[in-house]
Amino acid sequence: MPPRADTEHPVSAPARVRRFTRAERWVHRTTAVLMGVCVVTAACLYIPTFAELVGRRELVVRIHEWAGLLLPVPVLAGLASRAFRADLGHLNRWGPHDRTWLRAALRRDHRRASRPAGKFNAGQKTYAAWIAGATLVMLGTGLLMWFTHLTPLMWRTSATFVHDWLALTIGVVLAGHIGMALGDPEARRGLRTGLVRREWAEREHPLWRP
């Protein structure tokens, strides 16, 4: 009897696995563009050198306001995607392995075995929670500053203080986020094409089952 075809040519696992759908990539890109516009326009409003270079302060203010107002829209639209809702569930779900990952990060232990991770590691979960909260605070304080006739002066002064200093913090955190992304081309490929190498997924996210 001739050998079975599947024993002669065993089916191997695909070299790449899907990490993000088109909807998820759209949410990330659109949010990144709006956040980038907010950061750039904020720099043009508060750094004198940029303000003099760009000019047209009133136009820059309007672009900054509308970019900030639209910032939550991609995430809200993304809720129509089942895959995006599933990823939100992954980001909001913490387990013992996440505490292990954070302890290793604090000790600067870079061994892969000491940093177990599911689809998202504890650092990515922390960043996502922080940036989501910071965005809501920036939106709220920005609205208080925009509609000046609706709130007392003390509220507007406090909102301006929080908005300005949180904006600086966001700029620093975003710089760190971009720096880490630049150091991981496979992660960037996943956000660009939706696919990553299986070997990378097994090494960086061993608890993830795509």
Side-chain angles (χ1 to χ4, degrees), residues 8-189:
E8 280 188 319
H9 303 285
V11 177
S12 59
R16 295 189 179 276
V17 295
R18 180 161 298 281
R19 184 161 173 81
F20 298 113
T21 64
R22 181 177 297 180
E24 293 170 292
R25 302 198 305 276
W26 177 87
V27 171
H28 184 271
R29 290 171 185 170
T30 310
T31 302
V33 169
L34 290 172
M35 182 67 77
V37 171
C38 287
V39 170
V40 171
T41 52
C44 293
L45 292 173
Y46 290 100
I47 300 177
T49 303
F50 292 163
E52 294 174 2
L53 181 65
V54 175
R56 306 196 66 176
R57 180 178 178 85
E58 187 64 25
L59 176 61
V60 174
V61 169
R62 293 293 168 258
I63 294 175
H64 182 79
E65 290 172 341
W66 281 103
L69 194 62
L70 292 173
L71 197 53
V73 173
V75 173
L76 295 176
L79 293 176
S81 164
R82 180 180 299 178
F84 182 71
R85 295 197 304 272
D87 272 359
L88 289 181
H90 290 306
L91 286 168
N92 290 323
R93 191 177 303 118
W94 290 73
H97 61 280
D98 293 308
R99 291 191 290 272
T100 302
W101 194 99
L102 288 173
R103 284 195 296 267
L106 292 174
R107 295 195 306 266
R108 297 188 177 181
D109 183 350
H110 297 286
R111 292 175 301 163
R112 300 299 178 191
S114 65
R115 296 196 179 194
K119 184 171 185 179
F120 303 102
N121 63 45
Q124 292 166 328
K125 292 179 180 181
T126 301
Y127 170 78
W130 188 88
I131 200 68
T135 299
L136 291 177
V137 173
M138 292 294 284
L139 180 61
T141 54
L143 289 173
L144 290 177
M145 296 162 61
W146 192 353
F147 299 102
T148 56
H149 60 287
L150 297 179
T151 54
L153 177 60
M154 182 179 295
W155 287 24
R156 299 197 303 272
T157 303
S158 300
T160 302
F161 178 83
V162 173
H163 196 87
D164 291 352
W165 281 101
L166 185 56
L168 178 61
T169 307
I170 289 175
V172 173
V173 173
L174 282 177
H177 178 69
I178 294 171
M180 294 189 70
L182 291 175
D184 194 341
E186 192 65 23
R188 296 200 312 274
R189 184 179 293 110

Side-chain angles (χ1 to χ4, degrees), residues 17-19 86-87 90 97 116-120 196 198 200-210:
V17 295
R18 180 161 298 281
R19 184 161 173 81
D87 272 359
H90 290 306
H97 61 280
K119 184 171 185 179
F120 303 102
V196 294
R198 180 174 292 276
W200 176 89
E202 293 174 349
R203 185 184 72 246
E204 299 292 337
H205 301 270
L207 303 181
W208 176 38
R209 298 294 179 264

